[in-house]
């Protein structure tokens, strides 16, 4: 297997409902990534696009083929990846595998979504499609409902009083909003920077115990990355960021995961694969962009990735261990909570953020000092798909 | 290979208050809701059995924001129940005021009642029974 580098990254602003089509959004991110990587559209040998809900959001299927033509990657093989919120990371990981295998030298990967365009009722309905349609949805499961149940289960499993856990979860949202308010690409840029634990606790209860500020927003947006083999990457950029390890695993519906809950078993497997392939361990990781679709999801994710002990991550957040300058900087971009969650694009957006950090090109206030190694974590549905990637500065 | 216990058969039984599952003839594990193979060991050597419908609540949430078309159901409480035979099911709870549902529910013993029905929407290819539990 060949070493694979991220040579270019691009991203639109993540936002609420906006008027550009999915193809247009993706085209903006993709052309930015190609410019950043000194790659022309004719050099791209394949296009992999994460996208979940264009069919519902704008009646558009097969968005990847039209996107390829739209940006001048004429007639290349174009694949669409659907793994709920992990779709973009599936696309990037597959691109990495194809380049590593030697089949391609340069692949463009990313994702696009217009989840905010759906509006809350239809978005809530379509997100619930990532639960079991026959054995979970009939009882009325929703996406916040999944993580609300995991929060109660987490409290019971680790014997943390629910009021204390709610304060820990709120601390996660407060940190994310503080950072995200300074990220011009983020949906909540300039907003909620002064969020407090009290405000999180007293906001509208979406699904007990999760309030509105425990939840990420619905978002529109796109992100793209150009991957190249090591030898090609060295000709394209002085700052290649290598994907040293990538893992992906699947699981059945939430009710089938009971041997492991509140841990997400697919993540335990995917992160181990990524660590093993990279030869690195959690202590080597300087910064992480992880899947905080809900505040509780951050706690669960960080523990399965080996960053904090089980049941202890909430206290770690409260002590600043997950802050920039702490033990490991988690979601300096603002994460899904504040930067936003255009689901098919989210994972590629995480790779964008980690790459910028490792190059030292993050927003100065959000730059993690001396960041050498970073990791991404993307959760599809309630653990049906998880992708983890470890990236490292290559110079 | 033919599917041993389809959604349709499982669903029809649940509507009459009967909870079906699959018992593995190789490892003895119970799989419910049904799958092609034993969820523990992957064996196809399964037999259909009736489960007791008793278990314990492991977690819950009261939902205040519903999916499109189901807004009128709010607020409602969903529970995950660990059945006596092992598997977990997702259902609803009767006899508990949704806005008063609290951590006290966790660990409480429950028994399955006559299922209610989700009538389906334009995406769902028909109706489905929704497991309903009551505290015992
Ligand atoms: Zn078995």
């Amino acid at each position: 297997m060949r070493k694979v580098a991220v040579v270019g990254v691009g991203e639109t602003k993540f936002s609420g409902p906006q008027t550009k089509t999915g193809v247009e959004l993706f085209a903006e991110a993709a052309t930015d990534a190609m410019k950043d990587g000194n790659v022309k559209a004719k050099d791209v040998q394949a296009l992999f696009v994460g996208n979940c809900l264009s069919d519902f959001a704008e009646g558009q299927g097969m968005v990847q083929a039209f996107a390829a033509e739209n940006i001048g990657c004429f007639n290349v093989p174009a694949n669409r990846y659907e793994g709920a919120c992990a779709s973009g990371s599936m696309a990037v990981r597959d691109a990495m595998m194809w380049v590593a295998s030697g089949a391609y030298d340069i692949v463009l990967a990313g994702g696009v979504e217009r989840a905010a365009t759906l509006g809350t009722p239809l978005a809530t309905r379509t997100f619930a499609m990532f639960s079991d349609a026959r054995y979970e949805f009939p009882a009325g499961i929703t996406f916040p409902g999944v993580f609300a149940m995991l929060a109660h289960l987490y409290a019971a499993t680790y014997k943390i009083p629910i009021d204390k856990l709610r304060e820990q979860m709120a601390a996660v949202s407060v940190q994310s909003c503080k950072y995200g308010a300074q990220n011009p690409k983020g949906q909540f840029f300039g907003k909620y920077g002064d969020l407090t634990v009290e405000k999180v606790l007293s906001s509208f209860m979406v699904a007990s115990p999760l309030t509105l500020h425990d939840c990420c927003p619905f978002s529109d947006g796109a992100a793209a990355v150009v991957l190249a083999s090591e030898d090609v990457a060295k000709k394209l950029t002085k700052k290649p960021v290598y994907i040293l390890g990538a893992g992906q695993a699947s699981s059945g519906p939430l009710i089938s995961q009971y041997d492991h809950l509140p841990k997400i078993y697919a993540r335990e497997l995917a992160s181990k694969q990524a660590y093993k392939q990279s030869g690195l361990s959690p202590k080597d990781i300087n910064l992480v962009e992880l899947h905080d679709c809900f505040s509780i999801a951050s706690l669960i994710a960080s523990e399965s990735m080996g960053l904090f002990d089980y049941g202890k991550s909430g206290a770690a957040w409260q002590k600043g261990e997950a802050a920039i300058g702490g033990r490991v900087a988690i979601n300096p971009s603002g994460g899904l909570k504040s930067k936003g969650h255009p689901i098919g694009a989210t994972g590629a957006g995480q790779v964008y953020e980690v790459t910028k950090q490792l190059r030292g090109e993050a927003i100065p206030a959000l730059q993690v000092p001396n960041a050498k190694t970073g990791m991404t974590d993307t959760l599809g549905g309630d653990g049906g798909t998880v992708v983890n990637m470890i990236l490292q500065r290559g110079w | 290979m033919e599917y041993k216990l389809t959604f349709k058969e499982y669903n029809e039984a649940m509507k009459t208050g009967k909870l079906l599952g699959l018992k593995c003839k190789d490892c003895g594990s119970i799989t419910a809701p049904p799958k092609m193979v034993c969820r523990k060991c992957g064996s196809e050597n399964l037999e259909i059995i009736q489960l007791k419908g008793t278990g314990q609540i492991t977690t819950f949430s009261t939902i205040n924001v519903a999916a499109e078309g189901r807004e009128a159901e709010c607020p409602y409480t969903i529970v995950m129940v660990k059945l006596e035979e092992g598997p977990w099911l997702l259902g609803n709870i009767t006899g508990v005021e949704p806005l008063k549902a609290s951590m006290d529910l966790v660990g409480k013993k429950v028994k399955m009642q006559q299922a209610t029905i989700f009538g389906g929407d334009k995406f769902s290819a028909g109706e489905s029974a929704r497991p309903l539990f009551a505290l015992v």
Side-chain angles (χ1 to χ4, degrees):
Chain A
M1 298 280 270
R2 303 191 296 176
K3 224 166 134 180
V4 178
V6 179
V7 297
V9 294
E11 183 176 81
T12 66
K13 182 177 169 64
F14 290 2
S15 73
Q18 51 75 58
T19 56
K20 283 175 186 153
T21 71
V23 165
E24 289 166 355
L25 283 173
F26 186 78
E28 292 188 353
T31 48
D32 283 351
M34 288 190 284
K35 275 197 191 75
D36 185 50
N38 298 307
V39 165
K40 301 232 175 329
K42 65 173 175 46
D43 303 324
V44 171
Q45 294 167 292
L47 175 64
F48 296 169
V49 179
N51 176 251
C52 286
L53 299 171
S54 280
D55 318 61
F56 298 95
E58 52 183 357
Q60 182 64 67
M62 210 166 65
V63 63
Q64 74 285 5
F66 301 159
E69 191 243 17
N70 198 281
I71 60 175
C73 293
F74 300 118
N75 311 113
V76 298
N79 298 352
R80 173 176 170 182
Y81 290 81
E82 196 279 290
C85 318
S87 302
S89 284
M90 292 166 77
V92 175
R93 176 180 170 273
D94 250 34
M96 175 211 170
M97 303 289 270
W98 280 99
V99 174
S101 75
Y104 300 126
D105 290 325
I106 298 176
V107 175
L108 180 60
V112 60
E113 209 69 62
R114 295 184 67 187
T117 298
L118 290 163
T120 298
L122 182 57
T124 304
R125 176 66 184 96
T126 52
F127 279 48
M129 292 178 184
F130 309 129
S131 288
D132 194 303
R134 287 308 186 192
Y135 300 123
E136 294 178 331
F137 184 67
I141 203 167
T142 63
F143 228 59
V146 167
F147 284 87
M149 288 194 296
L150 287 176
H152 283 145
L153 190 59
Y154 185 99
T157 302
Y158 301 114
K159 301 190 170 34
I160 301 172
I162 189 65
D163 290 339
K164 188 174 166 193
L165 178 62
R166 287 189 63 200
E167 286 177 12
Q168 294 178 344
M169 296 190 305
V172 175
S173 294
V174 168
Q175 178 183 306
S176 297
C177 283
K178 181 179 139 195
Y179 294 153
Q182 302 171 76
N183 182 354
K185 293 270 192 187
Q187 184 163 351
F188 290 161
F189 176 56
K191 284 185 196 155
Y192 307 120
D194 59 352
L195 189 68
T196 60
V197 168
E198 292 68 33
K199 282 183 193 166
V200 176
L201 295 178
S202 62
S203 64
F204 172 68
M205 188 67 78
V206 174
S208 67
L210 303 182
T211 68
L212 188 61
H213 278 301
D214 287 303
C215 307
C216 73
F218 296 115
S219 315
D220 286 12
V225 302
V226 178
L227 302 189
S229 59
E230 183 176 17
D231 50 336
V232 171
K234 282 178 175 161
K235 289 176 202 152
L236 294 170
T237 176
K238 288 192 179 104
K239 290 184 170 182
V241 169
Y242 291 104
I243 305 180
L244 294 186
Q248 180 179 330
S250 64
S251 284
L254 188 71
I255 50 170
S256 297
Q257 299 178 35
Y258 59 82
D259 286 337
H260 305 280
L261 298 176
K263 297 175 194 172
I264 300 293
Y265 190 53
R267 174 182 281 121
E268 311 254 326
L269 297 175
S271 60
K272 271 195 191 77
Q273 290 169 24
Y275 284 125
K276 190 175 174 207
Q277 190 180 15
S278 65
L280 298 171
S281 70
K283 67 175 167 30
D284 299 311
I285 307 297
N286 305 125
L287 84 132
V288 172
E289 288 288 330
L290 62 69
H291 203 87
D292 61 325
C293 46
F294 299 92
S295 54
I296 184 66
S298 299
L299 306 191
I300 293 170
S302 65
E303 292 169 9
S304 282
M305 294 164 77
L307 303 170
F308 300 114
D309 291 338
Y310 291 106
K312 300 282 194 321
S313 59
W317 247 276
Q318 286 175 316
K319 281 186 264 175
E321 290 178 18
I324 297 169
R327 183 137 63 97
V328 52
I330 299 185
N331 290 346
S333 70
L336 283 60
K337 166 66 196 159
S338 177
K339 184 191 172 193
H341 184 25
I343 51 179
T346 293
Q350 293 175 329
V351 174
Y352 172 97
E353 297 293 343
V354 171
T355 300
K356 287 283 192 184
Q357 285 278 353
L358 299 181
R359 287 181 186 165
E361 295 171 1
I363 303 299
L366 304 178
Q367 178 70 50
V368 177
N370 307 313
K372 185 186 169 204
T373 308
M375 187 162 179
T376 65
D377 167 81
T378 334
L379 171 82
D382 43 33
T385 305
V386 179
V387 181
N388 290 108
M389 289 184 273
I390 295 173
L391 298 94
Q392 195 168 70
R393 209 171 10 170
W395 66 97
Chain B
M1 190 185 167
E2 203 169 346
Y3 210 91
K4 192 97 185 183
L5 176 57
T6 62
F7 162 72
K8 186 164 185 283
E9 294 154 336
Y10 175 88
N11 193 52
E12 289 305 317
M14 182 168 281
K15 281 176 4 191
T16 69
K18 257 170 59 175
L19 178 60
L20 299 182
L22 295 164
K23 181 167 185 181
C24 178
K25 292 192 206 169
D26 290 333
C27 79
S29 294
I30 309 293
T31 298
K35 298 182 193 292
M36 188 71 188
V37 301
C38 168
R39 67 166 295 284
K40 209 81 180 176
C41 75
S43 170
E44 296 163 351
N45 196 8
L46 306 171
E47 62 176 333
I48 299 170
I49 61 162
Q50 186 173 344
L51 305 178
K52 285 189 264 185
T54 51
Q56 267 184 313
I57 295 176
T58 57
T59 188
F60 72 98
S61 176
T62 293
I63 309 293
N64 294 311
V65 179
E68 185 180 67
R70 302 187 69 172
E71 293 85 350
E73 295 178 26
C74 285
Y76 59 91
T77 302
I78 54 175
V79 291
M80 287 218 276
V81 171
K82 174 184 172 35
L83 297 173
E84 222 170 287
E85 296 91 347
W88 289 24
L89 293 187
L90 183 76
N92 300 114
I93 181 111
T94 181
V96 175
E97 173 67 34
L99 295 177
K100 292 196 176 132
S102 74
M103 284 298 284
D104 294 343
L105 281 178
V106 175
K108 285 272 187 331
K109 290 202 169 126
V110 289
K111 177 145 179 61
M112 187 177 270
Q113 311 293 299
Q114 178 82 37
T116 56
I117 307 290
F118 166 57
D121 64 12
K122 64 186 167 186
F123 304 117
S124 66
E127 50 150 53
S128 304
R130 46 198 291 183
L132 183 67
F133 296 92
L135 299 173
V136 291

